[in-house]
Amino acid sequence: MKINKIHAIIGSLLVFVTFSCKTDTSKIFFEVSVHDSIYTKPVSGKLLFLFSKDTNATLIWGPNPFNPKPFYRIDVDNWDTKKPLLVEDFPNFWLLPIDSLKGKYAIQVILDVDTLQRNYLAKGNYYSAKEIINIDPNKLNSYHININKPSPYWEFNESELITEEQYQSSYLSDFWNTPMYIKAGIVLPTSYFKHPEKKYPVVFVFPGFASDHATVSNGKGQINRYGMNTFGNEKIFVFCNGEFWNGYHHYADSENNGPWGKAFTEEFIPYIESKYRTISNKRYLMGQSSGAWTSIWLQVNYPDLFDGAFAASPDPIDFRATGNNIYRNNANFYSSDNKNTNDVLFIKQFALMEQTINEYDQFKTWESTYGKKDKSGHYYQLFDRETGAINPKVAEQWKKYDISLIIKAKPSYYQEKLEGKLHIFVSNDDDYGLGESVRLFKKVADSLEIKTDIQFFDGLGHNVWTDELRSSIHNIIDNSQ
């Protein structure tokens, strides 16, 4: 994986440590209190202590491997928040043990008690105001933190042309033994209510990792990115939520996550088409990053249901380039022929950040979607977080989600079913090195004479969306038969 734009940042880190290290000599103490109006019962969850040398930094959006700053996780169990909590031990940390800090820092603390959403800024969580502290390593440092601000989560803001759908899936509810919903924001064309007899093509849109369906109703960012009724002919857009507690479920049937693909295609789409005036043979898929992988996955696995997928900067669609070739003998996630020292450091830091924060971030999400359950009912890890060693048995499990291998298994079938339907766009300098997997996939598709539209760009990083690309995509949809 070629990682761009971060070498100077990563190279400046003076100390590299793992999440499992622990200090017993910390000279920093925090008394954490929660405003007495917030919780009426004891809570369990975690406290995230976020630090930055940049005192002007915004901290609550959390750890970022591209802009690394130390943070610390403290787990709490049945905490009576009417009483302050004394925190003096920081065993779970990223980048630096807390007794290595000195000088002036900005700090904020998040209390994450939500268990039903992956995002630690989900509804029901709270955080403290940013404070500036000065840490003197030669004396005891004691600070008080007051948690009193509600998380800035996205609420869905309905309007005449943007509505929310929450469809309860029988398949998913049976799998999880609790009510489960497929959620989406519906963006209607401006003429929808003016012409009640008119029907429209439907585009199912899958945003990138950590974007839920509510973002389409807050500002114009998502509307503009995908050219929703601003390019080409009018269409109905279904902006789908791929997030849940196990991360991004990719709308793929999964041993760990449940039958999301089956629920989406057999329950949700019929529901949408019964409620809105869609043209049933004009169904399209569009996505970014993890959502781009989803759009390709659905097009390949349900080729007769959809009439084209438009995927920008997809997650690896050929697992020979999932950071490295996971099928290679003695494969290691932290090393390969085409990664330099800074790239390796970045990937390991990213993995350890995820491990420390203890949420389903990118690597855990892949493992949850692609892997099988172990005897305890959890997903199998692809690679050891400390050493990077890849488990070949888990790599074998992943093969059923390797899209290159899927089309390779039935070339004549996909020659017919995918002709003119796969449109993939990626930049050669993608921030996560995703161009390589697309390149490998293209070689496989070309060798099998499967006609695809795959375009490589320069200088666009992870965001290849331009007006030219939007115009091209909508022109293809508008002129398809």
Side-chain angles (χ1 to χ4, degrees):
M1 181 187 291
K2 179 64 179 173
I3 306 297
N4 301 286
K5 305 176 183 176
I6 59 163
H7 293 167
I9 297 173
I10 296 296
S12 68
L13 293 174
L14 299 179
V15 180
F16 176 77
V17 293
T18 69
F19 76 98
S20 61
C21 296
K22 181 183 177 195
T23 175
D24 294 320
T25 59
S26 173
K27 297 179 180 179
I28 301 176
F29 302 85
F30 289 93
E31 184 185 63
V32 182
S33 63
V34 179
H35 194 277
D36 57 14
S37 66
I38 293 177
Y39 299 114
T40 59
K41 297 179 180 179
V43 299
S44 298
K46 60 192 173 191
L47 290 163
L48 296 177
F49 290 74
L50 308 169
F51 287 78
S52 177
K53 273 291 192 181
D54 178 5
T55 57
N56 294 317
T58 301
L59 300 177
I60 60 166
W61 302 116
N64 181 353
F66 289 101
N67 188 15
K69 298 177 176 66
F71 78 93
Y72 306 82
R73 189 190 89 240
I74 306 298
D75 296 325
V76 295
D77 182 33
N78 207 34
W79 174 24
D80 181 0
T81 57
K82 304 301 181 186
K83 302 175 183 177
L85 181 70
L86 178 63
V87 180
E88 54 185 332
D89 191 20
F90 299 85
N92 305 296
F93 63 87
W94 190 52
L95 301 181
L96 298 169
I98 201 161
D99 61 354
S100 297
L101 306 183
K102 61 180 179 179
K104 189 177 290 186
Y105 281 89
I107 179 175
Q108 278 184 290
V109 178
I110 297 172
L111 174 57
D112 179 0
V113 301
D114 172 75
T115 59
L116 297 181
Q117 295 189 49
R118 184 188 63 83
N119 190 349
Y120 44 81
L121 290 179
K123 184 176 182 179
N125 295 336
Y126 287 79
Y127 68 99
S128 68
K130 184 173 74 173
E131 296 185 21
I132 310 301
I133 64 175
N134 191 47
I135 300 174
D136 184 345
N138 297 312
K139 69 176 188 179
L140 294 178
N141 297 267
S142 180
Y143 309 98
H144 179 260
I145 299 293
N146 184 33
I147 294 174
N148 59 3
K149 297 181 179 297
S151 294
Y153 58 89
W154 295 108
E155 288 275 22
F156 199 98
N157 297 311
E158 290 196 321
S159 61
E160 182 185 19
L161 296 177
I162 301 179
T163 61
E164 182 181 26
E165 290 291 349
Q166 296 197 39
Y167 175 83
Q168 184 171 341
S169 163
S170 296
Y171 291 140
L172 292 168
S173 298
D174 288 346
F175 179 88
W176 286 102
N177 197 32
T178 191
M180 293 289 291
Y181 298 86
I182 298 177
K183 302 176 183 180
I186 312 300
V187 181
L188 298 171
T190 54
S191 67
Y192 190 80
F193 296 108
K194 298 174 184 177
H195 302 285
E197 76 292 341
K198 186 176 180 180
K199 292 187 175 183
Y200 302 84
V202 60
V203 182
F204 296 93
V205 181
F206 305 92
F209 193 88
S211 294
D212 68 17
H213 68 296
T215 60
V216 79
S217 69
N218 289 270
K220 294 292 185 180
Q222 301 287 12
I223 299 284
N224 293 338
R225 163 170 273 183
Y226 302 101
M228 297 184 190
N229 296 317
T230 55
F231 284 81
N233 299 335
E234 289 186 319
K235 306 167 185 72
I236 294 173
F237 292 86
V238 181
F239 192 81
C240 302
N241 186 356
E243 294 274 322
F244 83 133
W245 52 74
N246 277 12
Y248 202 101
H249 55 67
H250 299 97
Y251 287 95
D253 290 346
S254 163
E255 188 171 310
N256 291 292
N257 296 342
W260 283 95
K262 184 177 183 180
F264 183 72
T265 57
E266 296 184 17
E267 294 180 318
F268 186 69
I269 289 179
Y271 166 74
I272 291 296
E273 294 187 345
S274 70
K275 186 169 182 178
Y276 298 93
R277 300 195 308 271
T278 67
I279 303 174
S280 59
N281 64 342
K282 291 279 188 178
R283 301 185 193 97
Y284 300 91
L285 304 159
M286 198 178 293
Q288 162 70 19
S289 196
S290 294
W293 188 97
T294 298
S295 66
I296 297 169
W297 173 260
L298 290 171
Q299 184 64 71
V300 168
N301 283 275
Y302 307 93
D304 293 328
L305 188 61
F306 302 107
D307 300 283
F310 301 86
S313 311
D315 281 1
I317 53 179
D318 187 309
F319 292 163
R320 293 173 295 168
T322 309
N324 97 0
N325 183 351
I326 69 172
Y327 308 126
R328 180 185 295 177
N329 289 336
N330 299 314
N332 190 292
F333 206 73
Y334 298 151
S335 64
S336 72
D337 295 338
N338 61 350
K339 289 207 291 278
N340 63 33
T341 302
N342 284 328
D343 292 335
V344 172
L345 178 58
F346 171 81
I347 294 168
K348 186 170 185 178
Q349 289 283 37
F350 199 156
L352 295 179
M353 180 196 78
E354 176 186 81
Q355 196 84 337
T356 306
I357 205 168
N358 198 26
E359 292 282 3
Y360 278 78
D361 216 308
Q362 189 66 77
F363 302 127
K364 286 186 177 182
T365 281
W366 290 346
E367 289 169 331
S368 182
T369 299
Y370 307 149
K372 293 182 176 293
K373 288 181 182 292
D374 63 20
K375 291 180 180 179
S376 65
H378 297 98
Y379 64 88
Y380 280 99
Q381 283 195 343
L382 175 68
F383 64 99
D384 184 280
R385 294 310 195 258
E386 291 293 336
T387 67
I390 288 176
N391 185 332
K393 293 182 179 179
V394 179
E396 187 69 23
Q397 295 171 7
W398 281 34
K399 284 185 175 180
K400 65 183 293 187
Y401 297 93
D402 187 320
I403 299 175
S404 281
L405 294 180
I406 292 173
I407 64 170
K408 206 171 182 179
K410 296 166 55 175
S412 58
Y413 174 81
Y414 285 116
Q415 283 173 7
E416 176 190 354
K417 296 295 186 180
L418 292 181
E419 182 175 1
K421 288 187 174 182
L422 276 185
H423 309 267
I424 304 173
F425 317 100
V426 68
S427 186
N428 289 312
D429 67 335
D430 183 275
D431 296 313
Y432 299 94
L434 296 170
E436 183 61 21
S437 80
V438 175
R439 213 176 314 279
L440 291 171
F441 175 81
K442 185 178 187 305
K443 288 181 180 178
V444 172
D446 289 349
S447 70
L448 301 175
E449 298 182 347
I450 297 173
K451 295 181 180 178
T452 61
D453 169 28
I454 298 178
Q455 300 179 37
F456 296 90
F457 303 97
D458 290 313
L460 297 180
H462 195 52
N463 181 17
V464 300
W465 295 94
T466 62
D467 282 351
E468 183 179 2
L469 180 59
R470 283 181 274 266
S471 178
S472 173
I473 289 172
H474 285 280
N475 185 59
I476 292 170
I477 294 175
D478 294 342
N479 289 287
S480 62
Q481 299 301 315

